[in-house]
Amino acid sequence: MMSKGITTTLLHADRSGNIEHGAVHKPMHTAVAYRYGDVNDLVAVFQGTQSGYSYSRQGTPTTAALEHKITLLERGRGTVSFGSGMAAQAALFSTLLRAGDHLVSSQFIFGNTNSLLGTLQDLGVQVTMVDATDAANIAAAVQENTRMVFVETIANPGTQVADLAGIGRLCRERGLLYVVDNTVSTPYLFNPADVGAGLVMNSLSKYICGHGNALGGALTDVGGFDWSDYPNIAEVYRKGDPANWGLMQLRKKGLRDMGGSLASETAHRIAVGAETLALRMERACHNALTVAQFLEGHPSVARVHYPGVASHPQHARATELFGVRDASGGHAARYGALMSVELQPGLDCLAFLNALEIVILSTHLGDSRTLALPAAHTIYYEMGPQKRAQMGIADSLVRLSVGIEDTDDLLTDLAQGLARLTR
Ligand SMILES: *Cc1c(COP(=O)(O)O)cnc(C)c1O
């Protein structure tokens, strides 16, 4: 079905299965348990020889319909959904890594992911964090016990763009599992499958749901990794096609044992939000580029970190990797809707934020509303100044998640906020 455009695909995806009573989208299935007329079928579902539902902690027809859509969006083999992006990541690291294994991660990652990697180290996994904008840094960090490489496409909040293609080649050569967090770019702008990723993680709470009214996360197997040699797949899941082993272990160990499951009501809400992903991303990316250009030209602004401006160190890479393909095979670059901004020395970023009227002072990103917060004072506060410096987070850094408001209203608000600052 993916030969169609992304929006057509999403709007009509549910019809490819059998929808009860001809409903035009998948209903919410809230039953916790599923009954079988013949106990042999129940046994077969438990033993994995027959597909079906047993207990909703491992999924429902409604979460399966959402998973199918994410699989189509990422052009993958299959998807497992979770109750949040962090639940997906916790399941990813804790079910596919073991004590004594080594993980190489980008040092430019979301603050909560950084915190999770600390927990992982407490549990005996070695973690090395490097500047992933150059695959050579990843290559230099790889050890004999390295099992996984983890990067964000466009890093939150600094917007560094990882050397996604170079790392893909490296992981293929070394037989490493390549995991890409696609949250900030979204599958609308980029498919990690194109650079040889094995697994893709998406926080569904952000652009995919898009309205700031649901938490969810997903892991999609996009086919770049051969699970047959992966030592951490439990013996019981080493049967059938190795292509399914990774997701099988994530569903069984990650959902069944850890229980960070997505509820059907939430899956439905995310699926409805996702229907307008393309429309919202088009508008948000346009707004963000306009805002970035405005801020970069403003005398009170020292730096704008946004892949869409020529001053961004990975502007050329972003132009090549991120965008939309038109029917004739052309490619129009899009740079996402997340940016961060540093004011001129002496200007108080907190005073700037307090002066804003339309922009909402809030954490979160990927909402249809524009949100802003001081990064070092909030999400990155706990880690201290040294770690912040390593992650490129200046004390005055303001993270801006640009929404879909009317462009001029955003420009007017930012301009009046900056105008009220005095040195
Ligand atoms: C928000 C976010 C997450 C975590 O997702 P939640 O759904 O909030 O748990 C992970 N990675 C990135 C890049 C994010 O922005």
Side-chain angles (χ1 to χ4, degrees), residues 104 130 134-143 149 167 170 173-174 176:
V104 182
V130 299
D134 185 347
N137 297 329
I138 304 269
V142 171
Q143 306 173 176
V149 174
I167 297 168
L170 172 77
E173 275 165 31
R174 307 279 183 95
L176 295 168

Side-chain angles (χ1 to χ4, degrees), residues 320-345:
E320 191 188 313
L321 289 177
F322 305 138
V324 289
R325 235 158 273 159
D326 56 37
S328 57
H331 169 91
R334 300 282 186 278
Y335 300 96
L338 186 77
M339 72 183 68
S340 53
V341 180
E342 289 170 53
L343 299 182
Q344 294 289 0

Side-chain angles (χ1 to χ4, degrees), residues 84-87 89 110 113 152 154 156 181 183-184 201 203-206 215-217 365:
S84 71
M86 291 313 298
Q89 293 193 157
F110 177 53
T113 306
E152 292 180 10
I154 303 174
N156 172 6
D181 180 340
T183 301
V184 175
M201 132 79 194
S203 165
L204 306 177
S205 325
K206 310 293 171 56
L215 286 175
L365 62 90

